[in-house]
Amino acid sequence: MAVISAVPDIVLDHVAVAVERQADAWPRYARDLPSSWIGGGSTAGFTSSQVEYANGMKVEVLEPFAVDQNDFLRRFLDRNGQGPHHLTYKVKDLAGALEIVEAAGYRPVGVDLSSPWWKEAFLHPKDAPGIVVQLAQAAEGGDWGNEDDPSWFPAPRVGEAAALLHVAHAVADIDDARRLFEGLLAGKVADEGDADGVRVVDLVWDGGGCVRLLAGAPLDEWLGGRAGRVHHLAFTTVDPGGVPSATGRSDTVHEIEPDDNLGVRLLLSATPEPFRHHPLGYGSVHG
């Protein structure tokens, strides 16, 4: 991997999923996988809300809104269907971070530094293999937090909060992916190795965020010629077998297939250990 400068003071904040109706997603991400409400709001193109899990990682759910003013999310859903949309990294100085991004040869798009409360820019999936990466700078008062739970927020299935252990991202070229996530975005290698023909690299950031990069022949057909594709979100939760639509893939790991979760595959276990024993959490690749 070529040496490039890393963006300083950067953390993985959340993964965002795109759906047609938020109301369809929250029974899963709030009730079945107990979490804490953070907040929500609307702007031209989308309305969104976020929850936080026990280890600090967050899930954001995006729904089209005011698409006559901005149709980016509508176009995404029409092209790809419901499913993973982007990863958001928080930085302390976005303008400085963009200088580093451009010096490394990446092309930020959608740059907006106009607000004193929220500044953002994006790396296109062609640069960030197969996934949109958002870089954001939030001033105090410019991000959600400390809002009361809305009246519709589902009560948790069990009292103990779930934890979002990692976002598993399958890629065609793991060196290219490491150049971005490890080199530019300053992920620290927590573990790496090979199992069943799949190369795995776990990259972590302060605050609980982890991206698991996956590459290898068993994933090639599933990638379908794409540079990258989110394979699953891995959670720990109490009684994973009791989560609706979960089916056992091993003695310790349960899976919820994308068709049963608005386009996002979930892997569930009571402890993190099973995910350390196989890069996919179970013994085979699923479509």
Side-chain angles (χ1 to χ4, degrees), residues 157-218:
R157 178 179 64 98
V158 290
E160 184 178 338
L164 173 50
L165 296 183
H166 63 251
V167 178
H169 189 55
V171 296
D173 185 336
I174 201 163
D175 291 332
D176 183 53
R178 290 185 72 163
R179 183 178 189 273
L180 173 67
F181 289 103
E182 182 183 350
L184 182 66
L185 301 180
K188 301 178 182 67
V189 177
D191 196 10
E192 61 179 309
D194 297 89
D196 300 328
V198 176
R199 179 71 176 168
V200 58
V201 180
D202 283 346
L203 300 171
V204 298
W205 289 262
D206 294 340
C210 176
V211 169
R212 169 167 286 189
L213 297 176
L214 305 169

Side-chain angles (χ1 to χ4, degrees), residues 6-104:
V7 174
D9 301 315
I10 186 170
V11 296
L12 175 58
D13 187 72
H14 66 265
V15 58
V17 299
V19 300
E20 294 288 353
R21 296 191 330 129
Q22 281 198 68
D24 296 335
W26 290 124
R28 179 72 76 203
Y29 292 110
R31 183 191 64 208
D32 299 340
L33 299 169
S35 56
S36 299
W37 171 257
I38 295 179
S42 300
T43 190
F46 68 97
T47 185
S48 64
S49 302
Q50 286 186 9
V51 293
E52 183 174 11
Y53 292 94
N55 61 333
M57 267 296 286
K58 307 177 187 75
V59 165
E60 179 177 32
V61 178
L62 309 173
E63 172 188 334
F65 175 79
V67 296
D68 56 323
Q69 300 175 47
N70 187 340
D71 67 349
F72 84 95
L73 187 60
R74 180 70 270 155
R75 287 186 287 109
F76 174 89
L77 287 165
D78 290 343
R79 182 173 63 251
N80 302 290
Q82 301 181 114
H85 185 268
H86 69 261
L87 296 171
T88 293
Y89 287 83
K90 294 281 188 67
V91 299
K92 292 185 178 179
D93 175 15
L94 182 56
L98 292 178
E99 292 181 1
I100 297 171
V101 168
E102 292 175 337

